[in-house]
Amino acid sequence: MADNGPAADTLTRLRRFFDINKYGLLVCALIATAAQFLAEHYGAPAMLMALLIGIAFHFLTEDPRMASGIDLTAKKVLRFGVAILGARISADMLIGLGWQMVLLLVLAVAGTILFGVAVARLMGRSWHFGALSGGSVAICGASAAMAIAAILPKDKDSERNLIFVVMGVTILSTIAMIFYPILTSMLAFTDLQSGTFLGGTIHDVAQVVGAGFSVSVPAGEMATLVKLIRVTMLAPVILVLSLVIRNQMSGDVSEAGRPPLLPLFVIAFLVLAAANTFGLVPEALGRLLAEISRWALLFAVAAVGMKTSLKSMLQVGGQAILLIVLETLFIGTIVLVGTIVIVR
C-alpha cells in the first residue's frame, strides 16, 4: 500500500531537489577537491585555485543541468559555511586579548571599511564596492567578501565585483604571508609583536597561520588568536550594513521587500559563538565544524568562479586593484603603529 503521508511527500521533495541540483553540486565539489589537492601538494592557496578553476569552467553555467546547482552552491552553501564559522569564536578570546588590543582591532576594521567606502566614492564607484572590498580586507578575506556580498543589493556587476575582490584579497594575502614575516624580522619584533601584526593585517586565516608559525610557535598562536578576533567582527559589520541598506531603500518599498535586519546565517553565527562561549561546543565538534565551514566556502568560491566570465573580470579596471592595495596598506599601517605602541 502506497504511503502518501508527510514523510513520503518530504522524501519526494528531497529527491526532486537533488535531481535538479545534483550536477551543479557535483561539479562544485570536483573543483573544490582539485583546488584542495593543489593546495596540499604544491602550496597554492586553495581559495585562489578554486576561483581560477571555476572561472575556467564558466561555460558550464550555460548548461541547464548545471545552472541550478551552481547557483545553490554560490548562495545557500556559502551562507551555511559562514554560519558555522561561529563555532570557532568565543567571548574568552576577547577577554584574554585585553581591551587595548581589542580596541586597536575594532578601530582597524572600522577604519578600513570607512576608508574603502570613501576612496571608492572618490574613484566614482558605488559605496557597495568600497564596503565589499574594505570588509574583506579588514575582516577575513574571501569569507568576509562572500558574507558581505550576500546582504548587498544585487545588480549586473555584483558577481563580477565579488569574484574580483575574492581574487584580489587572496593574492595580496599570499604576498603578505611571504613578505610580512620578513618585515617583522627587520623591525626586530618579539614573538608577540610579530603575531599581533600578522594576525591583524593578513586577510585570510590560512595565510595568517602560515605566516605566524613561520616565525615561531608563540607568534603563530598569537597571530591565529588576533585573526579570530577580526573574524568575530563579521557579525556586527553585517548588522550595520544591513541597517544602512534598509534605511536607503525608498519609502514605497514594503517591509516585506526590504532585506532582513540580521540575515539568518548571521544569527546562526552568533548562536554558535554564544554556545562556544558557554562551553556547549566540544573541542572535537568545533574542529569538525571549522573543517566543514572551510569546505563549504571552498565549494561556494568554486561556484562563484563559474558564474563569472574572465571578460567581465577584465572590465573591473585598474582603479579597483588600486583600491584593494590602498586598503591593505591602510590596515597594515594602523596595526603596525598599534603593535609598536601597545605590545611589548
Side-chain angles (χ1 to χ4, degrees), residues 83-261:
I84 60 177
L85 269 177
R88 302 177 64 181
I89 307 302
S90 73
D92 293 338
M93 293 179 180
L94 297 171
I95 297 170
L97 209 55
W99 71 268
Q100 289 179 312
M101 182 56 61
V102 172
L103 179 60
L104 170 64
L105 294 175
V106 169
L107 291 175
V109 169
T112 302
I113 295 172
L114 293 174
F115 176 80
V117 170
V119 175
R121 296 299 293 158
L122 288 174
M123 291 178 171
R125 295 184 175 270
S126 71
W127 74 264
H128 297 160
F129 186 78
L132 178 66
S133 59
S136 64
V137 168
I139 303 173
C140 53
S143 303
M146 299 180 76
I148 292 170
I151 59 107
L152 290 175
K154 299 296 182 289
D155 58 37
K156 62 183 179 62
D157 296 327
S158 294
E159 289 179 352
R160 182 195 70 182
N161 289 340
L162 171 59
I163 205 72
F164 177 84
V165 169
V166 169
M167 181 179 293
V169 296
T170 304
I171 292 172
L172 285 175
S173 191
T174 303
I175 294 172
M177 179 182 68
I178 297 169
F179 289 103
Y180 279 10
I182 298 173
L183 177 61
T184 62
S185 177
M186 292 172 58
L187 294 172
F189 274 2
T190 65
D191 286 341
L192 290 182
Q193 287 176 319
S194 296
T196 300
F197 175 72
L198 298 173
T201 54
I202 298 177
H203 310 325
D204 287 314
V205 176
Q207 279 84 342
V208 167
V209 173
F213 282 97
S214 72
V215 175
S216 68
V217 172
E221 292 173 346
M222 185 64 176
T224 304
L225 175 58
V226 170
K227 182 61 183 178
L228 290 178
I229 299 301
R230 288 168 67 194
V231 175
T232 305
M233 297 176 197
L234 180 61
V237 166
I238 288 180
L239 173 59
V240 171
L241 289 176
S242 297
L243 283 169
V244 172
I245 292 167
R246 284 169 62 89
N247 290 336
Q248 282 194 341
M249 287 192 164
S250 59
D252 55 4
V253 177
S254 65
E255 187 64 25
R258 297 186 180 190
L261 181 60

Side-chain angles (χ1 to χ4, degrees), residues 36-52:
Q36 183 61 28
F37 176 86
L38 292 172
E40 291 178 356
H41 290 80
Y42 300 99
M47 287 285 186
L48 181 60
M49 292 300 99
L51 193 59
L52 295 176

